[in-house]
Amino acid sequence: MSDATAPKRTKVDTTQKNDKVDWRKKKDELKDAKKQRKADKLVKKFEKQKQTEADEKEQQVQHSQPSRGCAYTVSIALPGSVLDNAQSAELRTYLAGQIARACVVFAVDEIIVFDEDGEDVKSVEGDYNGVGKKGNACVQLARILQYLECPQYLRKFFFPKHPDLQYAGLLNPLDIPHHMRISEPSEYREGIVLDRPTKPGKGSLINCGMWKEVQIDKKLQTGLRVTVHINATQKKEGRLIKGVVVPPHLPRSEGGFYWGYNVRLASCLSISWWSSAASRVWRPVWTETRNLDVTDPSLLFDLYLNTCPSQGSRTIRTE
């Protein structure tokens, strides 16, 4: 039959032909992307190495420069019985605040509170129950002095509620250089070690009273008060601030900053001398103590200065 139907031709799907992947081109694109990643990695490594070398160079320059710090420390010794002259708890607290304020004005590094009765007191654990009652004035004086020296953002960690500190909120602030504001830039800061988990090989996290926490170079026990040197060449966009733990005397001995005072208790005046560092310069406040047989201060001190040779009163009060 002539009218037999011819076989139909299959239509070619042009869309499928156009969607065909050019694997050679794709492979070249992958190679280019891999090369770009390697180049970016090398650039990042080079920048990190360059930053490390800059930090080391800056540290060498700092070490080569003459120290701005002070080569000596100043300590004073005063009796805890000075609080016995106050007539109320408010006045005792205010008197301790006056002593602390005077010490920081003259940049005293250590305050030694000694007991005229010769009692061996080694800590600030205890209460002072008032005039005419059994109590230890040295303990209360030392506790208030320590409270005022501590930066405000750390007091809640180290000083729980205590009767000796009932009126401490009425005292004038000392405004020592390490009592910093939250956004104040500084080379050194005081902080407390936080109980926070960190990655393996990373140091502890420190609360230094800033918007961000500081990560130090080593693991330390939780709750310790530490002095941290802040790295000034780090990126500000980071989640944490990098720092290094340094000795507490470093801001004074190398940086030239007055960094507050230490408080120490002694059972008598003589022990406060012999247990101190040999390089210390003494400016003692002389009072006639009951546990010393000597009434002439020139027999005890190499240099004695009587500022009131013709005093009209029998006694000069410590405050």
Side-chain angles (χ1 to χ4, degrees), residues 36-52:
Q36 186 63 36
R37 286 196 301 269
K38 286 184 178 180
D40 294 341
K41 191 175 181 180
L42 288 174
V43 170
K44 191 175 181 180
K45 185 178 180 181
F46 177 74
E47 290 178 352
K48 187 175 181 181
Q49 184 179 359
K50 191 175 180 181
Q51 182 67 30
T52 305

Side-chain angles (χ1 to χ4, degrees), residues 118-163:
E119 296 182 3
D120 191 10
V121 181
K122 296 181 179 179
S123 69
V124 292
E125 295 300 326
D127 302 327
Y128 183 54
N129 298 320
V131 178
K133 300 179 181 179
K134 184 179 180 181
N136 196 324
C138 298
V139 171
Q140 186 185 25
L141 178 57
R143 180 179 281 111
I144 295 175
L145 292 176
Q146 287 180 338
Y147 175 82
L148 291 175
E149 186 277 335
C150 184
Q152 293 89 334
Y153 56 87
L154 296 180
R155 289 175 181 172
K156 61 182 179 181
F157 299 104
F158 295 108
F159 295 93
K161 188 176 180 180
H162 195 279

Side-chain angles (χ1 to χ4, degrees), residues 29-39:
E29 291 177 356
L30 292 174
K31 284 183 178 180
D32 294 340
K34 189 175 181 180
K35 289 180 180 179
Q36 186 63 36
R37 286 196 301 269
K38 286 184 178 180

Side-chain angles (χ1 to χ4, degrees), residues 27-97:
K27 191 175 181 180
D28 293 339
E29 291 177 356
L30 292 174
K31 284 183 178 180
D32 294 340
K34 189 175 181 180
K35 289 180 180 179
Q36 186 63 36
R37 286 196 301 269
K38 286 184 178 180
D40 294 341
K41 191 175 181 180
L42 288 174
V43 170
K44 191 175 181 180
K45 185 178 180 181
F46 177 74
E47 290 178 352
K48 187 175 181 181
Q49 184 179 359
K50 191 175 180 181
Q51 182 67 30
T52 305
E53 292 176 354
D55 295 342
E56 292 178 354
K57 188 176 181 180
E58 183 179 356
Q59 291 179 0
Q60 291 176 359
V61 171
Q62 290 178 355
H63 288 302
S64 62
Q65 292 178 352
S67 177
R68 298 172 294 169
C70 186
Y72 60 88
T73 59
V74 178
S75 300
I76 67 169
L78 59 125
S81 59
V82 64
L83 295 188
D84 291 336
N85 298 323
Q87 301 301 317
S88 64
E90 294 93 333
L91 291 177
R92 286 197 300 274
T93 304
Y94 188 74
L95 177 56

